Amino acid sequence: PGVSQSLPQPYLPGVGGNASAATGWSLDPSLKPMQLDQVDFTIQREISSKAKIEIGYIGMTFRNEQLTLSLDSVPHMTTLNGQSFSQAFANLYLATSSGQAADAVQAQPFFEAAMGGTGSAYCVGFANCTAAVASKQRTNIVTTHVYDMWAALNAAPGWTLGRTMPSSNPIQLLALPQAASLGHGNFNGVFLTMKINDWHSVTATSNLTFGHALGTGGGGTPVDMFNVGSMYGRQAYDINWIYNLSMYYRPPLFKSQHGLLGNVLGGWGFAPLFTAQSGAPLGVGATGCQAFGEANCAYLGAGENAVPLAPYTGGNAAHYNVVATGVAGQNGNASSGGSGINMFANPSAVYSNFRRLILGVDSLAGGAGPLRGFPTWNLDMAVMKDIRFREGIGATLSFQFVNVLNHFQPANPGLSIDNPAGFGVVTSQANAPRQIEFGLRIFF
């Protein structure tokens, strides 16, 4: 058939035989530009004509940071028979994950009302509707796939709440993200800088910074659409300690380069660049994006973190020749082709200290991550040699070293309680192996 050159107006996806949409982005009508307030304060002190120090404070607060909301999220605060869905789910999860049989699970008022009571088609053959939900949705319950569970209940016979989301039947679209300016955060830091200018042929700048960055994780999807503060925690750039040193040293010996010895030993220059920092936040993953029913995982994602059961004591240093005796970390065993490197000396002990994020029990998801990745350091260097042939004619030979010590920096491992075999296993290198670049510049 011929294609119509125009669509009927208004065009409603998924309604009246129209095709449904996959994702439909929208803008919050009250979207605002981000507002940033910053306060800096520094004190400088000249120690001598060649050296000075500076100490300072940097403080920033920001609001109206853009977040991606999901308007297709589960309305988990919906209440029936005096009980919210989140409360009912928490009770159902705790009972099911502990191994209780479906018919032994205590009836939850929400599910009894939502699924139409014991006489409904969905609940026939079970002691009550809660038992039917516990049996038919067991996989989604124990894996905390709340979005998938809610969508399945929406399509089940006996469902009494009607159409609750744009993805409910009739399906208009599968995801409805919205850009909204609801995020907020802050940064506080102090720094110490020292500068040396031509002191015994050394010129250098050294800087040490200590800072802390907290916020709602701008740009991501909040775990709880109805509580943006659920994502408040460490920002991805919350690196507490950062140190860098840049230096240039030109030995004064044989500066004039007279004679054969002067040409060999004179004209050298050395410029090292040293950087070091503490570990960045590292997440411990679990279900991925729907523990609170916040999104359809096929189209949106949220930075969920597993919940620690006790204060963390595992550290963040690489351990070599680790042999995992339990399930956790087995992929790293050298006997099975692994690297033998793990973030934890005892991967199983750390793995068992985390559990899933549970709707109705937890309220915070931990920001960018509850743990710290590996601290890093690196040394680069440039070496220069001036060669003089005669007045006004010469050359400069240069050697640029990246990672001059060929220091191996392990990359942060994957930490997912859904992948115990790979928990903490280091599989790659974060920095590049040593590289050398040679250069020759001739001037006349």
Side-chain angles (χ1 to χ4, degrees), residues 200-262:
H200 296 289
S201 301
V202 174
T203 298
T205 300
S206 177
N207 187 84
L208 175 65
T209 302
F210 174 76
H212 198 28
L214 299 172
T216 52
T221 301
V223 171
D224 189 345
M225 290 300 113
F226 309 98
N227 176 23
V228 173
S230 63
M231 284 302 293
Y232 186 80
R234 297 169 179 169
Q235 299 279 60
Y237 52 87
D238 178 41
I239 300 173
N240 293 152
W241 293 97
I242 299 177
Y243 176 75
N244 56 72
L245 169 65
S246 60
M247 181 185 298
Y248 178 68
Y249 174 60
R250 192 175 184 88
L253 297 176
F254 302 100
K255 186 175 181 180
S256 61
Q257 298 189 44
H258 287 159
L260 177 61
L261 189 62

Short mmCIF file of all heavy atoms in Angstrom, two decimals, residues 200-262:
data_model
loop_
_atom_site.label_atom_id
_atom_site.label_comp_id
_atom_site.label_asym_id
_atom_site.label_seq_id
_atom_site.Cartn_x
_atom_site.Cartn_y
_atom_site.Cartn_z
N HIS A 200 69.78 25.92 42.20
CA HIS A 200 70.81 24.94 41.85
C HIS A 200 70.45 24.21 40.54
O HIS A 200 70.51 22.99 40.45
CB HIS A 200 71.00 23.93 42.98
CG HIS A 200 71.52 24.53 44.25
ND1 HIS A 200 72.82 24.98 44.38
CD2 HIS A 200 70.92 24.78 45.43
CE1 HIS A 200 73.00 25.45 45.60
NE2 HIS A 200 71.85 25.35 46.26
N SER A 201 70.00 25.02 39.59
CA SER A 201 69.65 24.54 38.24
C SER A 201 68.38 23.69 38.21
O SER A 201 68.13 22.98 37.24
CB SER A 201 70.81 23.74 37.63
OG SER A 201 71.98 24.53 37.54
N VAL A 202 67.58 23.75 39.26
CA VAL A 202 66.33 23.00 39.33
C VAL A 202 65.15 23.95 39.32
O VAL A 202 65.11 24.92 40.11
CB VAL A 202 66.27 22.11 40.59
CG1 VAL A 202 64.90 21.46 40.71
CG2 VAL A 202 67.36 21.05 40.55
N THR A 203 64.21 23.71 38.44
CA THR A 203 62.93 24.41 38.44
C THR A 203 61.83 23.37 38.60
O THR A 203 61.81 22.37 37.86
CB THR A 203 62.73 25.19 37.13
OG1 THR A 203 63.75 26.18 37.00
CG2 THR A 203 61.36 25.86 37.10
N ALA A 204 60.97 23.57 39.58
CA ALA A 204 59.99 22.53 39.89
C ALA A 204 58.70 23.12 40.44
O ALA A 204 58.70 24.20 41.05
CB ALA A 204 60.57 21.54 40.91
N THR A 205 57.61 22.39 40.22
CA THR A 205 56.31 22.70 40.82
C THR A 205 55.75 21.42 41.41
O THR A 205 55.66 20.39 40.72
CB THR A 205 55.33 23.26 39.77
OG1 THR A 205 55.85 24.46 39.22
CG2 THR A 205 53.98 23.54 40.42
N SER A 206 55.38 21.49 42.68
CA SER A 206 54.84 20.33 43.38
C SER A 206 53.49 20.69 43.97
O SER A 206 53.34 21.77 44.56
CB SER A 206 55.81 19.89 44.48
OG SER A 206 55.27 18.81 45.22
N ASN A 207 52.51 19.79 43.81
CA ASN A 207 51.16 20.10 44.29
C ASN A 207 50.52 18.87 44.94
O ASN A 207 50.54 17.78 44.38
CB ASN A 207 50.27 20.56 43.13
CG ASN A 207 48.92 21.05 43.61
OD1 ASN A 207 48.78 22.20 44.00
ND2 ASN A 207 47.92 20.18 43.59
N LEU A 208 49.97 19.07 46.13
CA LEU A 208 49.25 18.02 46.85
C LEU A 208 47.84 18.53 47.15
O LEU A 208 47.67 19.61 47.70
CB LEU A 208 49.96 17.68 48.15
CG LEU A 208 49.25 16.67 49.07
CD1 LEU A 208 49.18 15.29 48.39
CD2 LEU A 208 49.95 16.56 50.41
N THR A 209 46.84 17.74 46.77
CA THR A 209 45.44 18.13 46.96
C THR A 209 44.70 17.04 47.72
O THR A 209 44.85 15.85 47.42
CB THR A 209 44.73 18.35 45.61
OG1 THR A 209 45.43 19.35 44.88
CG2 THR A 209 43.29 18.79 45.81
N PHE A 210 43.91 17.46 48.69
CA PHE A 210 42.98 16.56 49.37
C PHE A 210 41.58 17.11 49.18
O PHE A 210 41.30 18.27 49.49
CB PHE A 210 43.29 16.46 50.87
CG PHE A 210 42.26 15.65 51.63
CD1 PHE A 210 42.26 14.27 51.55
CD2 PHE A 210 41.28 16.28 52.38
CE1 PHE A 210 41.31 13.51 52.22
CE2 PHE A 210 40.32 15.53 53.06
CZ PHE A 210 40.33 14.14 52.98
N GLY A 211 40.69 16.28 48.65
CA GLY A 211 39.34 16.75 48.38
C GLY A 211 38.31 15.65 48.56
O GLY A 211 38.62 14.46 48.64
N HIS A 212 37.05 16.07 48.58
CA HIS A 212 35.93 15.14 48.74
C HIS A 212 34.76 15.68 47.93
O HIS A 212 34.38 16.84 48.08
CB HIS A 212 35.57 15.03 50.21
CG HIS A 212 34.75 13.81 50.55
ND1 HIS A 212 34.81 12.63 49.83
CD2 HIS A 212 33.84 13.59 51.54
CE1 HIS A 212 33.99 11.74 50.37
NE2 HIS A 212 33.39 12.30 51.40
N ALA A 213 34.21 14.84 47.05
CA ALA A 213 33.12 15.24 46.17
C ALA A 213 31.91 14.34 46.40
O ALA A 213 32.01 13.12 46.25
CB ALA A 213 33.55 15.19 44.71
N LEU A 214 30.79 14.94 46.75
CA LEU A 214 29.55 14.21 46.98
C LEU A 214 28.46 14.78 46.09
O LEU A 214 28.48 15.97 45.73
CB LEU A 214 29.12 14.32 48.45
CG LEU A 214 30.09 13.75 49.49
CD1 LEU A 214 29.62 14.10 50.90
CD2 LEU A 214 30.22 12.25 49.34
N GLY A 215 27.51 13.96 45.72
CA GLY A 215 26.42 14.44 44.90
C GLY A 215 25.48 13.32 44.50
O GLY A 215 25.60 12.19 44.97
N THR A 216 24.56 13.66 43.62
CA THR A 216 23.56 12.70 43.18
C THR A 216 23.94 12.01 41.88
O THR A 216 23.09 11.36 41.26
CB THR A 216 22.21 13.41 43.01
OG1 THR A 216 22.36 14.57 42.18
CG2 THR A 216 21.63 13.83 44.35
N GLY A 217 25.18 12.16 41.44
CA GLY A 217 25.64 11.42 40.26
C GLY A 217 25.05 11.94 38.99
O GLY A 217 24.26 11.27 38.33
N GLY A 218 25.41 13.17 38.61
CA GLY A 218 24.82 13.83 37.45
C GLY A 218 24.86 13.01 36.18
O GLY A 218 25.83 12.33 35.88
N GLY A 219 23.78 13.07 35.41
CA GLY A 219 23.70 12.40 34.13
C GLY A 219 23.11 11.00 34.18
O GLY A 219 22.66 10.47 33.18
N GLY A 220 23.13 10.37 35.34
CA GLY A 220 22.62 9.02 35.46
C GLY A 220 21.15 9.00 35.83
O GLY A 220 20.51 10.03 36.05
N THR A 221 20.61 7.79 35.91
CA THR A 221 19.21 7.60 36.30
C THR A 221 19.16 7.27 37.79
O THR A 221 19.79 6.31 38.23
CB THR A 221 18.58 6.44 35.50
OG1 THR A 221 18.65 6.73 34.11
CG2 THR A 221 17.13 6.25 35.89
N PRO A 222 18.44 8.04 38.59
CA PRO A 222 18.36 7.74 40.01
C PRO A 222 17.76 6.36 40.26
O PRO A 222 16.89 5.90 39.50
CB PRO A 222 17.44 8.85 40.56
CG PRO A 222 17.53 9.95 39.56
CD PRO A 222 17.72 9.28 38.24
N VAL A 223 18.23 5.71 41.29
CA VAL A 223 17.69 4.40 41.64
C VAL A 223 16.22 4.50 42.02
O VAL A 223 15.42 3.63 41.68
CB VAL A 223 18.51 3.78 42.79
CG1 VAL A 223 17.85 2.52 43.31
CG2 VAL A 223 19.92 3.47 42.32
N ASP A 224 15.88 5.56 42.72
CA ASP A 224 14.49 5.77 43.12
C ASP A 224 13.99 7.05 42.46
O ASP A 224 14.42 8.15 42.80
CB ASP A 224 14.41 5.89 44.65
CG ASP A 224 12.97 5.90 45.16
OD1 ASP A 224 12.04 6.11 44.33
OD2 ASP A 224 12.76 5.71 46.37
N MET A 225 13.09 6.92 41.50
CA MET A 225 12.59 8.08 40.78
C MET A 225 11.88 9.07 41.69
O MET A 225 11.79 10.26 41.39
CB MET A 225 11.60 7.64 39.68
CG MET A 225 12.21 6.93 38.52
SD MET A 225 13.42 7.93 37.64
CE MET A 225 14.87 6.99 38.03
N PHE A 226 11.38 8.59 42.81
CA PHE A 226 10.58 9.43 43.69
C PHE A 226 11.41 9.95 44.87
O PHE A 226 10.87 10.58 45.77
CB PHE A 226 9.37 8.64 44.18
CG PHE A 226 8.61 7.99 43.06
CD1 PHE A 226 8.80 6.66 42.74
CD2 PHE A 226 7.75 8.73 42.27
CE1 PHE A 226 8.13 6.06 41.68
CE2 PHE A 226 7.07 8.16 41.21
CZ PHE A 226 7.26 6.81 40.91
N ASN A 227 12.72 9.69 44.81
CA ASN A 227 13.63 10.19 45.84
C ASN A 227 15.01 10.31 45.21
O ASN A 227 15.82 9.39 45.26
CB ASN A 227 13.67 9.25 47.05
CG ASN A 227 14.68 9.69 48.09
OD1 ASN A 227 15.06 10.87 48.14
ND2 ASN A 227 15.13 8.76 48.91
N VAL A 228 15.27 11.48 44.58
CA VAL A 228 16.54 11.68 43.89
C VAL A 228 17.71 11.53 44.86
O VAL A 228 18.80 11.11 44.48
CB VAL A 228 16.56 13.08 43.22
CG1 VAL A 228 17.93 13.38 42.64
CG2 VAL A 228 15.50 13.14 42.14
N GLY A 229 17.48 11.84 46.13
CA GLY A 229 18.53 11.72 47.13
C GLY A 229 19.00 10.30 47.35
O GLY A 229 20.01 10.08 48.02
N SER A 230 18.30 9.32 46.77
CA SER A 230 18.72 7.92 46.92
C SER A 230 20.09 7.67 46.30
O SER A 230 20.76 6.71 46.65
CB SER A 230 17.69 6.99 46.27
OG SER A 230 17.61 7.23 44.87
N MET A 231 20.50 8.53 45.37
CA MET A 231 21.80 8.36 44.71
C MET A 231 22.86 9.27 45.31
O MET A 231 23.98 9.31 44.80
CB MET A 231 21.67 8.65 43.21
CG MET A 231 21.01 7.54 42.43
SD MET A 231 21.87 5.96 42.58
CE MET A 231 23.39 6.32 41.74
N TYR A 232 22.56 9.96 46.38
CA TYR A 232 23.55 10.86 46.96
C TYR A 232 24.69 10.07 47.58
O TYR A 232 24.47 9.13 48.35
CB TYR A 232 22.91 11.75 48.04
CG TYR A 232 23.85 12.80 48.58
CD1 TYR A 232 24.09 13.98 47.88
CD2 TYR A 232 24.52 12.61 49.78
CE1 TYR A 232 24.95 14.94 48.37
CE2 TYR A 232 25.38 13.57 50.28
CZ TYR A 232 25.59 14.73 49.57
OH TYR A 232 26.46 15.68 50.06
N GLY A 233 25.88 10.41 47.22
CA GLY A 233 27.06 9.71 47.72
C GLY A 233 28.29 10.19 46.97
O GLY A 233 28.30 11.29 46.41
N ARG A 234 29.33 9.37 46.95
CA ARG A 234 30.56 9.75 46.27
C ARG A 234 30.33 9.95 44.78
O ARG A 234 29.70 9.13 44.14
CB ARG A 234 31.62 8.66 46.47
CG ARG A 234 32.04 8.44 47.91
CD ARG A 234 32.88 7.18 48.00
NE ARG A 234 33.35 6.91 49.35
CZ ARG A 234 33.91 5.78 49.74
NH1 ARG A 234 34.06 4.79 48.86
NH2 ARG A 234 34.32 5.63 50.98
N GLN A 235 30.89 11.04 44.26
CA GLN A 235 30.87 11.25 42.83
C GLN A 235 31.97 10.40 42.18
O GLN A 235 32.93 9.99 42.84
CB GLN A 235 31.11 12.73 42.50
CG GLN A 235 30.05 13.67 43.07
CD GLN A 235 28.80 13.72 42.22
OE1 GLN A 235 28.14 12.72 42.00
NE2 GLN A 235 28.46 14.90 41.74
N ALA A 236 31.85 10.16 40.89
CA ALA A 236 32.83 9.33 40.19
C ALA A 236 34.23 9.94 40.25
O ALA A 236 35.23 9.22 40.20
CB ALA A 236 32.40 9.13 38.74
N TYR A 237 34.33 11.27 40.38
CA TYR A 237 35.61 11.95 40.44
C TYR A 237 36.03 12.25 41.88
O TYR A 237 36.89 13.11 42.12
CB TYR A 237 35.56 13.25 39.63
CG TYR A 237 34.40 14.15 39.97
CD1 TYR A 237 34.49 15.08 41.01
CD2 TYR A 237 33.21 14.09 39.26
CE1 TYR A 237 33.43 15.91 41.32
CE2 TYR A 237 32.15 14.91 39.56
CZ TYR A 237 32.27 15.83 40.59
OH TYR A 237 31.21 16.64 40.91
N ASP A 238 35.47 11.55 42.84
CA ASP A 238 35.84 11.75 44.24
C ASP A 238 37.14 11.01 44.54
O ASP A 238 37.16 9.91 45.09
CB ASP A 238 34.70 11.24 45.15
CG ASP A 238 35.05 11.37 46.62
OD1 ASP A 238 35.63 12.41 46.99
OD2 ASP A 238 34.78 10.44 47.39
N ILE A 239 38.24 11.62 44.16
CA ILE A 239 39.57 11.06 44.41
C ILE A 239 40.18 11.91 45.53
O ILE A 239 40.51 13.08 45.33
CB ILE A 239 40.43 11.11 43.15
CG1 ILE A 239 39.76 10.29 42.04
CG2 ILE A 239 41.84 10.58 43.42
CD1 ILE A 239 40.43 10.40 40.70
N ASN A 240 40.36 11.32 46.69
CA ASN A 240 40.72 12.10 47.88
C ASN A 240 42.10 12.74 47.77
O ASN A 240 42.26 13.93 48.06
CB ASN A 240 40.66 11.22 49.12
CG ASN A 240 39.24 10.77 49.46
OD1 ASN A 240 39.02 9.74 50.04
ND2 ASN A 240 38.24 11.57 49.08
N TRP A 241 43.11 11.97 47.39
CA TRP A 241 44.48 12.48 47.37
C TRP A 241 45.02 12.50 45.95
O TRP A 241 44.95 11.50 45.23
CB TRP A 241 45.40 11.63 48.24
CG TRP A 241 45.10 11.69 49.71
CD1 TRP A 241 44.35 10.81 50.43
CD2 TRP A 241 45.52 12.70 50.63
NE1 TRP A 241 44.28 11.19 51.75
CE2 TRP A 241 45.00 12.36 51.90
CE3 TRP A 241 46.31 13.86 50.52
CZ2 TRP A 241 45.23 13.13 53.04
CZ3 TRP A 241 46.53 14.62 51.65
CH2 TRP A 241 46.00 14.26 52.89
N ILE A 242 45.58 13.63 45.54
CA ILE A 242 46.22 13.77 44.24
C ILE A 242 47.53 14.52 44.43
O ILE A 242 47.57 15.59 45.05
CB ILE A 242 45.33 14.53 43.23
CG1 ILE A 242 44.01 13.78 43.00
CG2 ILE A 242 46.05 14.73 41.91
CD1 ILE A 242 43.07 14.52 42.08
N TYR A 243 48.60 13.94 43.90
CA TYR A 243 49.91 14.59 44.01
C TYR A 243 50.58 14.58 42.64
O TYR A 243 50.50 13.60 41.90
CB TYR A 243 50.81 13.84 45.00
CG TYR A 243 52.21 14.42 45.06
CD1 TYR A 243 52.46 15.62 45.71
CD2 TYR A 243 53.28 13.76 44.44
CE1 TYR A 243 53.74 16.15 45.76
CE2 TYR A 243 54.56 14.29 44.49
CZ TYR A 243 54.78 15.49 45.15
OH TYR A 243 56.05 16.03 45.19
N ASN A 244 51.22 15.70 42.31
CA ASN A 244 51.99 15.74 41.07
C ASN A 244 53.24 16.59 41.27
O ASN A 244 53.24 17.56 42.04
CB ASN A 244 51.15 16.24 39.89
CG ASN A 244 50.53 17.60 40.16
OD1 ASN A 244 51.23 18.61 40.16
ND2 ASN A 244 49.23 17.62 40.37
N LEU A 245 54.28 16.22 40.57
CA LEU A 245 55.56 16.92 40.63
C LEU A 245 56.13 17.02 39.22
O LEU A 245 56.35 16.00 38.56
CB LEU A 245 56.55 16.17 41.53
CG LEU A 245 58.01 16.65 41.48
CD1 LEU A 245 58.13 18.07 42.02
CD2 LEU A 245 58.92 15.70 42.25
N SER A 246 56.34 18.22 38.76
CA SER A 246 57.00 18.44 37.48
C SER A 246 58.30 19.18 37.74
O SER A 246 58.34 20.13 38.53
CB SER A 246 56.10 19.25 36.52
OG SER A 246 55.80 20.51 37.09
N MET A 247 59.36 18.73 37.10
CA MET A 247 60.69 19.26 37.40
C MET A 247 61.51 19.36 36.12
O MET A 247 61.33 18.57 35.19
CB MET A 247 61.39 18.32 38.40
CG MET A 247 62.77 18.78 38.83
SD MET A 247 63.59 17.53 39.89
CE MET A 247 62.46 17.50 41.28
N TYR A 248 62.39 20.35 36.11
CA TYR A 248 63.36 20.47 35.02
C TYR A 248 64.73 20.74 35.63
O TYR A 248 64.90 21.66 36.42
CB TYR A 248 62.99 21.59 34.06
CG TYR A 248 63.99 21.78 32.94
CD1 TYR A 248 64.14 20.82 31.96
CD2 TYR A 248 64.80 22.92 32.89
CE1 TYR A 248 65.06 20.96 30.94
CE2 TYR A 248 65.72 23.08 31.87
CZ TYR A 248 65.86 22.10 30.90
OH TYR A 248 66.77 22.24 29.90
N TYR A 249 65.68 19.89 35.28
CA TYR A 249 67.03 20.02 35.82
C TYR A 249 68.02 20.04 34.66
O TYR A 249 68.04 19.14 33.82
CB TYR A 249 67.36 18.85 36.75
CG TYR A 249 68.79 18.83 37.23
CD1 TYR A 249 69.31 19.89 37.97
CD2 TYR A 249 69.63 17.76 36.95
CE1 TYR A 249 70.62 19.89 38.42
CE2 TYR A 249 70.95 17.73 37.39
CZ TYR A 249 71.43 18.81 38.12
OH TYR A 249 72.74 18.80 38.56
N ARG A 250 68.85 21.08 34.66
CA ARG A 250 69.89 21.21 33.63
C ARG A 250 71.23 21.35 34.34
O ARG A 250 71.54 22.41 34.90
CB ARG A 250 69.63 22.42 32.74
CG ARG A 250 70.49 22.47 31.49
CD ARG A 250 70.08 23.64 30.60
NE ARG A 250 70.83 23.64 29.35
CZ ARG A 250 70.47 22.97 28.25
NH1 ARG A 250 69.37 22.26 28.26
NH2 ARG A 250 71.20 23.04 27.16
N PRO A 251 72.03 20.29 34.38
CA PRO A 251 73.30 20.34 35.10
C PRO A 251 74.18 21.48 34.60
O PRO A 251 74.32 21.69 33.39
CB PRO A 251 73.94 18.98 34.79
CG PRO A 251 72.79 18.09 34.44
CD PRO A 251 71.81 18.98 33.75
N PRO A 252 74.77 22.23 35.53
CA PRO A 252 75.60 23.37 35.11
C PRO A 252 76.98 22.97 34.60
O PRO A 252 77.69 23.79 34.00
CB PRO A 252 75.73 24.18 36.41
CG PRO A 252 75.60 23.17 37.51
CD PRO A 252 74.64 22.14 37.00
N LEU A 253 77.38 21.73 34.80
CA LEU A 253 78.69 21.28 34.37
C LEU A 253 78.84 21.33 32.85
O LEU A 253 77.92 20.94 32.12
CB LEU A 253 78.95 19.85 34.87
CG LEU A 253 78.99 19.66 36.39
CD1 LEU A 253 79.15 18.18 36.73
CD2 LEU A 253 80.10 20.48 37.01
N PHE A 254 79.97 21.81 32.41
CA PHE A 254 80.30 21.87 30.98
C PHE A 254 79.20 22.59 30.18
O PHE A 254 78.81 22.17 29.10
CB PHE A 254 80.53 20.47 30.40
CG PHE A 254 81.63 19.72 31.09
CD1 PHE A 254 81.32 18.76 32.06
CD2 PHE A 254 82.95 19.98 30.78
CE1 PHE A 254 82.34 18.07 32.69
CE2 PHE A 254 83.98 19.28 31.41
CZ PHE A 254 83.68 18.33 32.37
N LYS A 255 78.69 23.64 30.80
CA LYS A 255 77.60 24.38 30.16
C LYS A 255 78.03 24.96 28.81
O LYS A 255 77.23 25.03 27.87
CB LYS A 255 77.14 25.50 31.09
CG LYS A 255 75.93 26.25 30.62
CD LYS A 255 75.48 27.27 31.66
CE LYS A 255 74.23 28.01 31.21
NZ LYS A 255 73.79 29.00 32.24
N SER A 256 79.29 25.36 28.72
CA SER A 256 79.77 25.96 27.46
C SER A 256 80.08 24.91 26.40
O SER A 256 80.26 25.24 25.22
CB SER A 256 81.02 26.79 27.73
OG SER A 256 82.06 25.97 28.27
N GLN A 257 80.19 23.64 26.80
CA GLN A 257 80.45 22.52 25.89
C GLN A 257 81.75 22.69 25.10
O GLN A 257 81.81 22.36 23.91
CB GLN A 257 79.28 22.31 24.92
CG GLN A 257 77.96 21.96 25.60
CD GLN A 257 76.88 21.55 24.61
OE1 GLN A 257 77.13 20.79 23.70
NE2 GLN A 257 75.68 22.08 24.82
N HIS A 258 82.79 23.18 25.76
CA HIS A 258 84.08 23.32 25.10
C HIS A 258 84.82 21.99 25.12
O HIS A 258 84.82 21.27 26.13
CB HIS A 258 84.92 24.40 25.79
CG HIS A 258 84.41 25.78 25.52
ND1 HIS A 258 84.71 26.85 26.32
CD2 HIS A 258 83.63 26.26 24.52
CE1 HIS A 258 84.13 27.94 25.84
NE2 HIS A 258 83.47 27.60 24.74
N GLY A 259 85.43 21.64 24.05
CA GLY A 259 86.24 20.44 23.98
C GLY A 259 85.40 19.20 23.83
O GLY A 259 84.16 19.21 23.88
N LEU A 260 86.09 18.09 23.63
CA LEU A 260 85.41 16.82 23.43
C LEU A 260 84.63 16.42 24.68
O LEU A 260 83.46 16.00 24.59
CB LEU A 260 86.43 15.73 23.08
CG LEU A 260 85.86 14.31 22.91
CD1 LEU A 260 84.85 14.28 21.77
CD2 LEU A 260 86.98 13.32 22.66
N LEU A 261 85.24 16.55 25.86
CA LEU A 261 84.56 16.18 27.10
C LEU A 261 83.36 17.07 27.35
O LEU A 261 82.31 16.61 27.81
CB LEU A 261 85.55 16.26 28.27
CG LEU A 261 85.06 15.70 29.61
CD1 LEU A 261 84.76 14.21 29.47
CD2 LEU A 261 86.10 15.95 30.70
N GLY A 262 83.49 18.35 27.03
CA GLY A 262 82.38 19.28 27.22
C GLY A 262 81.20 18.94 26.32
O GLY A 262 80.04 19.05 26.72
#
